[in-house]
Amino acid sequence: MPTNRRQFIRSLAALPLLAGPVRLLAAPAGGSARFVLVFLRGGYDAASLLIPYHSSDYYEARPTLALARPGSDLQAALPVDGDWALNPVLRESLYPLFQRRQLAFVPFAGTDDLSRSHFETQQSIELGLAAGGARDYRSGFLNRLAGVLGGQGAIAFTDQLPLVMSGPAAVPNVALRQVAKPGLSVRQSQIIAGMYRGSRLAGQVSEGFGMRDEVLKAFAEEMESSSRNAVSARGFELEARRIGKLMRERYRLGFVDVGGWDTHVSQGGNGGYLASRFDELGRGLAAFADEMGKAWDDTVVVVVSEFGRTFRENGSRGTDHGHGTVFWVLGGSVAGGRVAGEQVEVRRSTLLQDRDFPVLNDYRQVLGGLFQRQFGLSAEQLTKVFPGARSVDLELL
């Protein structure tokens, strides 16, 4: 075989690995409701996304990072309500969704995990278990949700299957950044399929290559169309359109993670590194909504991160690991145009441990309430998804 072991493993990681019957590019199984979780790994600075412009403490604590209060200047924050404003870099992408009431924000959100460790907190959230209790790594909460919805129709748009999608329900993963350039040639694919022929995994391997070929074909058509129409967007926006195509035609539960949010140094204010990341993410989410077409009305996207960042900027004009963050909730039927959930006035005296936003909206309760409304889950089913959690209905749908 003209490839070494490392290349072989890397190539397999980009394949949609399947463990059950497949229907390529068919309608989503088990209903029209769709849910996508976007995980911003690195702990994004929520106070640069949703600006507490009513707080004089905010401007005092961030002499170089604070964004200007709403006003006529194009660099000024975009008003959301009497307390909060949105980063102006999202003016053309997500602010129109907010004005159409298809986008809501939930501040002071997150988990009870106070380790402020990326690894620990990401694991804690993906498992969906109560912080401080025993950790059971056999399943993540999206896999358990897939199970109560019938066990089919979930996918992770990642290099490897993430913990949140791990578990007994069969979930494929596909790395959309790599899929346009397959790591295995046709001949290599045939050799691998031959290796498994006659074994119990023969069907799964064949289905995996079949699905990859379908996706490659669809993306080749997409690239040809994009060239004719002079579309030059790349990065997350292109990936988000690919996710939209697959979610619209086949899946009902999706997961994607976006890295690069750990901004200890020179994160920037109105411009710079973090603003560019928000711009890229905003354009991607807007492109996803556009790609979904009519299915956008039945789709909910929730953007989360493992934690927020410190209220005060540090000596390197960045921010350090914090606690409470801001969740984004998007969708055609979302009761948006507002800031939802429990809140507290942003002042120094209300900070957690004199450094972070507190968590007043537990992620398990918020997502449980959302799943209950979107999928009509019973109390027993919700307990399977988030054991021991009490769902809270923020009336986001």
Side-chain angles (χ1 to χ4, degrees), residues 128 130 362 364-365 368 379 382-383 385-392:
D362 179 86
R364 299 198 311 155
Q365 296 179 343
L382 284 168
T383 298
V385 179
F386 294 118
R390 176 181 59 85
S391 64
V392 173

Side-chain angles (χ1 to χ4, degrees), residues 1-3 8 11-12 15 182-197 205-206 208-210 212-213 216:
M1 182 184 302
T3 183
F8 173 73
S11 300
L12 283 183
L15 283 175
L184 297 174
S185 67
V186 173
R187 180 171 175 273
Q188 290 170 332
S189 302
Q190 291 172 341
I191 291 173
I192 293 172
M195 291 168 54
Y196 285 93
R197 189 169 298 124
V205 172
S206 176
F209 281 125
R212 182 201 64 173
D213 292 343
L216 286 173

Side-chain angles (χ1 to χ4, degrees), residues 81-350:
D81 62 19
D83 296 322
W84 302 96
L86 192 62
N87 192 307
V89 76
L90 300 172
R91 183 186 303 275
E92 304 296 330
S93 56
L94 293 189
Y95 198 51
L97 287 180
F98 181 84
Q99 292 174 312
R100 292 201 296 269
R101 301 185 181 280
Q102 296 182 358
L103 167 61
F105 297 100
V106 182
F108 308 110
T111 170
D112 289 341
D113 190 317
L114 262 172
S115 67
R116 297 189 179 89
S117 158
H118 294 302
F119 181 74
E120 290 290 327
T121 314
Q122 287 175 17
Q123 272 201 345
S124 176
I125 291 176
E126 291 186 69
L127 287 172
L129 305 176
R135 292 193 172 186
D136 183 346
Y137 292 92
R138 288 176 295 182
S139 65
F141 77 83
L142 281 183
N143 190 285
R144 297 196 294 272
L145 176 61
V148 301
L149 295 177
Q152 292 184 342
I155 186 171
F157 301 100
T158 51
D159 293 351
Q160 298 179 351
L161 193 65
L163 182 57
V164 71
M165 280 292 196
S166 300
V171 177
N173 68 288
V174 56
L176 294 182
R177 293 185 185 89
Q178 303 174 25
V179 74
K181 297 179 180 178
L184 297 174
S185 67
V186 173
R187 180 171 175 273
Q188 290 170 332
S189 302
Q190 291 172 341
I191 291 173
I192 293 172
M195 291 168 54
Y196 285 93
R197 189 169 298 124
S199 75
R200 65 180 178 82
L201 296 176
Q204 297 174 28
V205 172
S206 176
E207 289 166 354
F209 281 125
M211 180 177 175
R212 182 201 64 173
D213 292 343
E214 289 279 349
V215 173
L216 286 173
K217 180 181 178 182
F219 291 164
E221 294 171 355
E222 165 201 284
M223 284 190 290
E224 182 181 353
S225 173
S226 298
S227 298
R228 282 202 297 263
N229 297 317
V231 175
S232 60
R234 287 293 183 267
F236 184 68
E237 183 176 354
L238 177 58
E239 186 179 8
R241 284 200 176 276
R242 292 170 170 171
I243 293 171
K245 186 185 295 291
L246 291 172
M247 290 299 299
R248 184 188 66 218
E249 297 178 345
R250 173 170 165 71
Y251 296 99
R252 65 183 319 201
L253 294 180
F255 174 87
V256 61
D257 50 10
V258 184
W261 302 94
D262 198 13
T263 52
H264 291 280
V265 178
S266 303
Q267 74 176 43
N270 283 332
Y273 177 81
L274 184 59
S276 296
R277 299 295 294 163
F278 282 142
D279 182 36
E280 183 181 41
L281 180 65
R283 287 187 288 109
L285 292 172
F288 173 83
D290 177 67
E291 191 68 39
M292 291 299 289
K294 293 182 179 179
W296 179 241
D297 290 342
D298 299 317
T299 302
V300 173
V301 178
V302 175
V303 181
V304 306
S305 191
E306 63 265 38
F307 42 60
R309 306 191 73 83
T310 49
F311 184 68
R312 300 175 181 85
E313 69 177 67
N314 60 29
S316 302
R317 298 185 176 184
T319 50
D320 300 316
H321 298 180
H323 190 48
T325 184
V326 174
F327 290 174
W328 320 11
V329 183
L330 308 83
S333 298
V334 165
R338 64 193 178 104
V339 178
E342 294 291 326
Q343 299 178 44
V344 65
E345 185 177 355
V346 176
R347 291 184 283 117
R348 287 182 174 179
S349 60
T350 61

Side-chain angles (χ1 to χ4, degrees), residues 51-96:
I51 296 97
Y53 71 90
H54 67 287
S55 171
S56 58
D57 287 348
Y58 169 80
Y59 290 93
E60 187 173 327
R62 296 182 168 225
T64 71
L65 300 184
L67 277 75
R69 291 182 171 87
S72 57
D73 191 322
L74 291 177
Q75 297 301 313
L78 305 167
V80 168
D81 62 19
D83 296 322
W84 302 96
L86 192 62
N87 192 307
V89 76
L90 300 172
R91 183 186 303 275
E92 304 296 330
S93 56
L94 293 189
Y95 198 51

